Amino acid sequence: METSLPLNDSHVRKTQLVINRLHAFLHGIALLCLFYYRITSLSEIIKTRDNTNIPLLPHVLIFISELILSFIWLLGQPYKWKPVVRTVYPERLPGNEKLPPIDVFICTADPNKEPCLEVMNTVISALALDYPSDKLHVYLSDDGGSSVTFRAMKQAWKFSKLWIPFCRKYGIKNRCPEAYFLTEESASSTTEFVADKKEIKERYEEFKNSVERIAADISTSVSRNHPPLIEVVSDANGSRMDTDHEETPILVYVAREKRPSHPHHFKAGALNVLLRVSAMISNSPYMLVLDCGMYCNDATSACQAMYFHLDSKLSPKLGFVQFPQKFYNISETDIYDGQLRYIWQRWEGLDGLRGPILSGTGFYIKREALYGTQKFHKDVDHIKLRNLFGSSNEFIKSIYRNYKLNFTEDRKFYDKELRSLASCSYDTDTKWGKEACEVGFRYFSLVEDFFTGFNLHCEGWKSVYIEPSRPCFLGASPTSLSELLVQHARWNVGLNQVSLSKFSPLVYGPLRMSTSQSMCYAEFAYSPLYFLSLYVLAIVPQLCLLRGIPLYPEVSSPFFHVFSFVFLSAQLKNVQEVSWTGHSIRTYWREQRIWMIKSLTSYLYATLDAVMEKIGLRKASFLPKNKVVDNEQTKRYQMGIYDFQASALFMVPLCSLYILNVASFVMGFLKILHTQKAHEMLIQVFIPLFAAVLHFPLLEGMVLRKDKGRVPPSVSLLSALISVIILSSTSPVHHY
Ligand SMILES: O=c1ccn([C@@H]2O[C@H](COP(=O)(O)OP(=O)(O)O[C@H]3O[C@H](CO)[C@@H](O)[C@H](O)[C@H]3O)[C@@H](O)[C@H]2O)c(=O)[nH]1
Ligand SMILES: [Mn+2]
């Protein structure tokens, strides 16, 4: 029988494994030598403090910053321990009749920020997935409760009825119409194809126009106060079951109830409503989750995921299959490092452990994993189920019922039941979204994906990472510094919420999963700490250089080589990883730059935010990213020119530190020439030089550029003032 053969295979990247382990060993030894140097020199300073005038504080600060960097480095090592790649055997997948049904969940929140046409393209591409139509059901959650989205969705469904047969007939790979017509993928050259394509293109233009008309006609205002609305999109004749059902999957619109007095828990709340509503309508055992604007670029993703979910060995423990997030709008220069290469490389490493971290979109997850029912017996107490899942008996029945397309039954009854499941109070006093209670997407953190995946791994579920050469899903990545920094600040607020709680991965993880998997979660969750190290490294060595206080060993000392080795080995390892994943050295350079910029801004504010939330001064919130395209900004992005029109909160620290570093390099350099102290200060001269070269675009933005994307002169002036104050202040390093 076909299914007895494995559907997939994995193999370890051996060369990479050897390089990684060897590097970890050497780098680790070098770090130990570095600590030895710091500890001995610190104790020396403390002992001789009365006679010498060497200040202690800068040495302590530098040591702390080195400890943090080393700690995060150590946490990241399990990622590199056993990188794994997966292959699949397409010919072994069972026939259509054996494929399990799938529900697709798409979330949108605000038509002003998430253009309706893009959302509809996501919907259409999901409807057109290469999967038996009667086993595919698409749900669109509209958190804005906007009638624009509702009406546009009906048009999208109508268009799909033409689009899907066209795609199937010609084996079109890219099932997102907007992207398909842009790329001009050619499936055939017969006259029939050319005529069909022309026809479908015209239909698409009509559809597009109708969506634009809808958006122009009615207000796109977003409501925070509305009753639930659930509608299975159907033909005008009112019969929900369409005669062409074979060709077009059902499409369900869900706007959950929202009231100002009830917390709605952002995307996790929306997904939990979809879980409940879909349980009543289709109750598929697997779900694909997609962010709006993220379209299906390869229609075979569902089958690809099934190579793992149907694998008899993997299946019982497999919670989800994660695809990487890839982006269609990344420019050649990728100045904001939008491709997130370093993340997907880690996921590959995690695949050798318990599996990749849940990444919000582009994953096929098992319904059972989100219900946490694997531990119950079938005859579990009904009261217990009500405590977990809420008061709906229909919902509770669905938990143990197999897949069944349900919505044609008693319509009135179901409508009432559905509205209750989508009401804002349904969750209250249940275990939905509660951390560590195993029901649904967890509300605890703004990064619901990270935290839910963490919980699933803690409960014993595994995950699989698959990165096919043709990306299955494509979305839009930030194209301005401002967007990038705001997005990363939000992610890191979410990570801080986890790391500052009892769910901190190093505390909560090791008892529930392997230490190595916990370390990887911790590496992610503690990464906002980078801001501490980088602020110290951007200020302390520089000020000490100007005051003639050496913080590093002098050139003749053997420890000078230790410091040089640590720096070079870290950099070269990055270069090696970047080139091994098929990128050029420029990618390495940009990754360094953006990592520092994010650490000095997003990570700092994310930590302040999370701490304020912890002590009750603030509430974290998740406003969807603006996906509306600004032409001028996009043009700059395409040309590889940074857009520094970001909030002064971001720009002032960056520019101040930049000026501080340039100034201390120049002044320090002149000073050591005079005093002949170069051998003592070499590393301290090198640090600001490295920063000044790496962040040269900031200098351009402040001084050389005249366009709209430059650093605003007011920001440059304020930054200059701040750096002068820091430079001239008798800083605390002077005494102690
Ligand atoms: O109240 C809300 C807020 C957001 N969303 C949806 O959530 C998705 C992600 O929002 P987006 O603004 O695109 O944020 P990103 O930073 O791009 O999202 C990343 O980070 C999120 C966690 O912060 C994850 O949920 C996402 O899957 C992941 O792609 C979008 O479809 C939104 O419509 C809602 O449905 N309701
Ligand atoms: Mn997004």
Side-chain angles (χ1 to χ4, degrees):
M1 227 182 83
E2 313 159 287
T3 41
S4 58
L5 286 168
L7 294 168
N8 62 75
D9 211 350
S10 66
H11 75 265
V12 177
R13 289 193 193 269
K14 289 219 181 69
T15 330
Q16 196 54 33
L17 176 149
V18 173
I19 297 177
N20 287 350
R21 293 187 183 185
L22 198 65
H23 176 262
F25 179 70
L26 295 176
H27 196 78
I29 292 190
L31 286 178
L32 289 178
C33 298
L34 190 153
F35 295 159
Y36 174 80
Y37 169 80
R38 281 290 178 223
I39 292 168
T40 48
S41 60
L42 271 177
S43 53
E44 192 64 24
I45 295 172
I46 294 171
K47 260 193 255 159
T48 57
R49 244 165 94 206
D50 298 337
N51 312 328
T52 57
N53 230 347
I54 304 175
L56 185 60
L57 185 66
H59 284 93
V60 173
L61 287 176
I62 284 287
F63 188 32
I64 292 177
S65 103
E66 286 160 358
L67 280 174
I68 294 175
L69 291 175
S70 314
F71 175 60
I72 301 181
W73 172 82
L74 181 69
L75 291 178
Q77 289 316 298
Y79 283 129
K80 312 203 169 170
W81 208 242
K82 200 178 143 202
V84 155
V85 270
R86 307 262 179 188
T87 37
V88 292
Y89 300 106
E91 66 285 357
R92 295 186 191 163
L93 200 68
N96 278 358
E97 67 293 343
K98 286 196 183 142
L99 288 177
I102 295 176
D103 291 343
V104 183
F105 293 172
I106 300 167
C107 290
T108 182
D110 184 345
N112 296 307
K113 289 184 176 162
E114 303 172 330
C116 194
L117 187 66
E118 268 178 44
V119 181
M120 293 311 136
N121 267 281
T122 308
V123 170
I124 296 168
S125 73
L127 286 165
L129 276 175
D130 217 346
Y131 209 72
S133 292
D134 55 338
K135 292 191 174 176
L136 193 64
H137 321 89
V138 179
Y139 294 81
L140 176 63
S141 155
D142 176 17
D143 260 357
S146 153
S147 47
V148 173
T149 311
F150 180 62
R151 287 172 51 183
M153 197 187 86
K154 291 189 168 178
Q155 301 296 326
W157 192 76
K158 270 195 205 143
F159 173 71
S160 300
K161 293 173 77 63
L162 306 168
W163 174 244
I164 296 169
F166 170 76
C167 291
R168 296 219 164 133
K169 183 166 171 193
Y170 296 106
I172 305 293
K173 280 215 169 74
N174 190 342
R175 305 262 163 122
C176 164
E178 183 74 28
Y180 170 75
F181 292 122
L182 273 180
T183 51
E184 295 291 337
E185 173 190 328
S186 180
S188 147
S189 52
T190 60
T191 45
E192 192 192 1
F193 170 72
V194 175
D196 280 358
K197 186 174 167 183
K198 186 161 168 276
E199 165 79 18
I200 193 82
K201 195 168 178 180
E202 277 166 19
R203 293 286 156 279
Y204 180 65
E205 289 305 321
E206 281 170 27
F207 159 71
K208 219 165 137 171
N209 291 337
S210 72
V211 171
E212 270 153 23
R213 264 200 313 276
I214 293 171
D217 282 357
I218 28 184
S219 121
T220 50
S221 70
V222 170
S223 144
R224 305 250 169 269
N225 194 9
H226 57 254
L229 175 64
I230 295 145
E231 177 100 11
V232 181
V233 177
S234 66
D235 268 347
N237 62 23
S239 78
R240 286 185 172 192
M241 186 69 94
D242 181 65
T243 41
D244 289 346
H245 188 70
E246 299 262 289
E247 293 291 353
T248 318
I250 63 162
L251 177 56
V252 184
Y253 174 87
V254 180
R256 57 183 167 139
E257 182 184 18
K258 273 195 164 178
R259 301 293 173 207
S261 53
H262 273 81
H264 60 82
H265 305 296
F266 313 106
K267 184 179 163 197
L271 287 173
N272 282 346
V273 169
L274 287 184
L275 267 174
R276 297 196 291 264
V277 166
S278 66
M280 294 292 97
I281 296 174
S282 48
N283 204 23
S284 302
Y286 297 98
M287 279 96 50
L288 161 66
V289 175
L290 285 179
D291 285 347
C292 64
M294 188 120 205
Y295 65 80
C296 304
N297 181 58
D298 185 336
T300 64
S301 69
C303 290
Q304 295 194 41
M306 288 310 146
Y307 295 125
F308 301 97
H309 275 306
L310 295 183
D311 179 302
S312 51
K313 262 212 219 116
L314 286 175
S315 183
K317 288 255 146 230
L318 182 58
F320 59 94
V321 175
Q322 178 69 58
F323 289 84
Q325 283 197 37
K326 299 264 163 167
F327 306 94
Y328 59 80
N329 65 337
I330 298 220
S331 70
E332 208 164 313
T333 49
D334 187 17
I335 47 175
Y336 301 117
D337 189 28
Q339 59 189 334
L340 308 172
R341 182 206 63 81
Y342 54 97
I343 292 194
W344 313 123
Q345 179 195 317
R346 290 164 174 184
W347 273 206
E348 210 173 273
L350 275 168
D351 215 6
L353 306 169
R354 196 168 276 190
I357 294 174
L358 193 70
S359 324
T361 172
F363 59 90
Y364 285 84
I365 193 164
K366 193 185 267 173
R367 190 179 281 269
E368 189 192 348
L370 289 167
Y371 286 179
T373 40
Q374 73 281 8
K375 323 180 294 300
F376 305 154
H377 289 293
K378 278 225 152 129
D379 45 6
V380 57
D381 185 19
H382 190 73
I383 309 270
K384 181 169 181 195
L385 289 176
R386 279 176 72 108
N387 286 340
L388 286 171
F389 296 104
S391 58
S392 166
N393 289 334
E394 285 306 311
F395 178 81
I396 289 172
K397 271 193 232 156
S398 81
I399 295 173
Y400 292 110
R401 184 170 56 216
N402 283 340
Y403 160 77
K404 174 171 149 214
L405 202 58
N406 226 346
F407 65 82
T408 45
E409 288 175 20
D410 183 355
R411 188 171 155 182
K412 252 201 182 132
F413 173 74
Y414 268 106
D415 282 350
K416 193 167 152 259
E417 198 68 31
L418 288 177
R419 274 204 306 277
S420 141
L421 287 166
S423 70
C424 60
S425 54
Y426 187 84
D427 272 358
T428 326
D429 297 327
T430 68
K431 300 292 181 208
W432 281 99
K434 302 282 174 335
E435 59 275 11
C437 282
E438 306 168 13
V439 185
F441 289 87
R442 318 300 202 262
Y443 300 150
F444 179 72
S445 161
L446 277 191
V447 279
E448 79 298 325
D449 42 359
F450 175 88
F451 189 64
T452 304
F454 178 56
N455 275 249
L456 294 183
H457 281 136
C458 284
E459 286 153 25
W461 292 102
K462 292 191 172 159
S463 58
V464 153
Y465 175 67
I466 168 167
E467 184 173 355
S469 54
R470 184 185 167 97
C472 284
F473 306 101
L474 288 177
S477 141
T479 54
S480 78
L481 191 63
S482 172
E483 270 178 54
L484 176 88
L485 297 182
V486 169
Q487 182 185 47
H488 283 260
R490 169 159 54 72
W491 289 353
N492 286 283
V493 170
L495 293 176
N496 275 324
Q497 288 172 319
V498 179
S499 61
L500 295 175
S501 74
K502 67 171 184 201
F503 299 105
S504 200
L506 281 188
V507 181
Y508 192 76
L511 292 176
R512 295 169 175 86
M513 56 193 184
S514 69
T515 310
S516 42
Q517 181 89 13
S518 313
M519 282 168 74
C520 293
Y521 269 104
E523 198 257 5
F524 224 72
Y526 301 160
S527 53
L529 282 178
Y530 276 132
F531 92 87
L532 280 173
S533 293
L534 288 190
Y535 267 94
V536 170
L537 285 173
I539 298 175
V540 176
Q542 292 76 350
L543 293 184
C544 289
L545 169 67
L546 297 183
R547 289 183 176 73
I549 305 165
L551 293 177
Y552 293 91
E554 56 179 60
V555 180
S556 56
S557 154
F559 288 104
F560 177 83
H561 301 290
V562 170
F563 277 86
S564 314
F565 179 86
V566 169
F567 175 76
L568 285 176
S569 122
Q571 301 300 317
L572 288 176
K573 184 72 180 80
N574 275 341
V575 172
Q576 182 264 327
E577 283 169 8
V578 164
S579 60
W580 168 61
T581 46
H583 298 270
S584 71
I585 192 135
R586 286 167 59 187
T587 305
Y588 144 77
W589 194 239
R590 258 179 336 255
E591 283 185 1
Q592 289 291 310
R593 182 187 295 151
I594 296 297
W595 165 66
M596 287 190 195
I597 292 181
K598 286 192 302 206
S599 303
L600 294 168
T601 55
S602 305
Y603 294 3
L604 164 73
Y605 292 118
T607 309
L608 292 178
D609 245 40
V611 170
M612 291 211 285
E613 197 201 359
K614 194 95 197 150
I615 55 179
L617 286 180
R618 226 189 121 96
K619 196 118 198 72
S621 89
F622 176 2
L623 297 176
K625 191 175 74 204
N626 194 350
K627 295 160 185 95
V628 180
V629 176
D630 170 343
N631 284 335
E632 218 179 296
Q633 180 191 305
T634 311
K635 210 162 130 205
R636 272 198 292 276
Y637 172 67
Q638 289 299 342
M639 288 163 65
I641 303 174
Y642 283 90
D643 192 321
F644 291 124
Q645 293 287 317
S647 151
L649 279 179
F650 291 137
M651 291 315 295
V652 171
L654 291 177
C655 294
S656 311
L657 290 175
Y658 190 79
I659 298 171
L660 180 91
N661 274 268
V662 172
S664 24
F665 169 70
V666 174
M667 296 195 292
F669 187 68
L670 294 175
K671 198 170 161 183
I672 58 168
L673 283 186
H674 278 208
T675 53
Q676 322 257 296
K677 277 198 169 171
H679 61 289
E680 274 185 5
M681 291 294 189
L682 199 63
I683 295 180
Q684 264 158 282
V685 177
F686 175 75
I687 293 175
L689 175 65
F690 184 74
V693 175
L694 182 63
H695 297 285
F696 179 70
L698 268 177
L699 184 67
E700 279 182 316
M702 282 188 281
V703 183
L704 303 175
R705 282 169 52 187
K706 294 278 166 285
D707 58 294
K708 251 185 90 189
R710 70 171 166 176
V711 178
S714 55
V715 168
S716 308
L717 268 176
L718 181 60
S719 308
L721 193 68
I722 293 177
S723 39
V724 168
I725 294 175
I726 300 181
L727 282 169
S728 58
S729 69
T730 44
S731 88
V733 298
H734 220 51
H735 333 270
Y736 206 64

